[in-house]
């Protein structure tokens, strides 16, 4: 599921949710143009993502974004992991 926010013809934000429609849903990305941040767009997109998802949502977050998600009522739970490949 993809949801977007527009200002006229300009795409200013989007959120992508992947779900198995039964147990697991994850926010794979939420992006807001820097000049449109702190205007409630991310909050609205996350509310819509939760509303339309048939499952609970689980996702990782960058440390600097954790406060944003906590303000929206998300609880910090599982830790995410990453294994990086060397650059070629």
């Amino acid at each position: 599921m993809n949801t977007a926010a527009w200002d006229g013809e300009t795409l200013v934000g989007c959120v992508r949710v992947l779900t198995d429609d039964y147990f697991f849903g994850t926010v794979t990305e939420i992006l807001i143009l820097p000049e449109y941040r702190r205007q409630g767009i991310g909050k609205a997109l996350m509310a819509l993502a939760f509303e339309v998802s048939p499952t609970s949502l689980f996702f990782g977050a960058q440390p600097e974004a954790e406060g944003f998600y906590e303000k929206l009522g998300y609880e910090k739970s599982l830790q995410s992991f990453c294994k990086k490949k060397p650059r070629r």
Side-chain angles (χ1 to χ4, degrees), residues 59-70 76 79-80:
F59 54 91
Q62 297 294 323
E64 62 272 10
E66 289 177 355
F68 168 72
Y69 296 112
E70 289 170 347
K76 194 172 182 181
Q79 182 178 7
S80 65

Side-chain angles (χ1 to χ4, degrees), residues 8-55:
E9 298 288 320
T10 304
L11 176 64
V12 299
C14 65
V15 63
R16 178 178 294 167
V17 177
L18 297 178
T19 179
D20 63 5
D21 290 327
Y22 180 71
F23 176 73
F24 184 81
T26 186
V27 175
T28 59
E29 61 191 348
I30 180 168
L31 305 166
I32 310 295
L33 288 177
E35 59 270 28
Y36 285 86
R37 292 181 185 160
R38 301 195 180 276
Q39 297 180 30
I41 296 169
K43 180 179 180 179
L45 287 174
M46 288 299 294
L48 186 57
F50 187 74
E51 179 183 322
V52 300
S53 177
T55 65

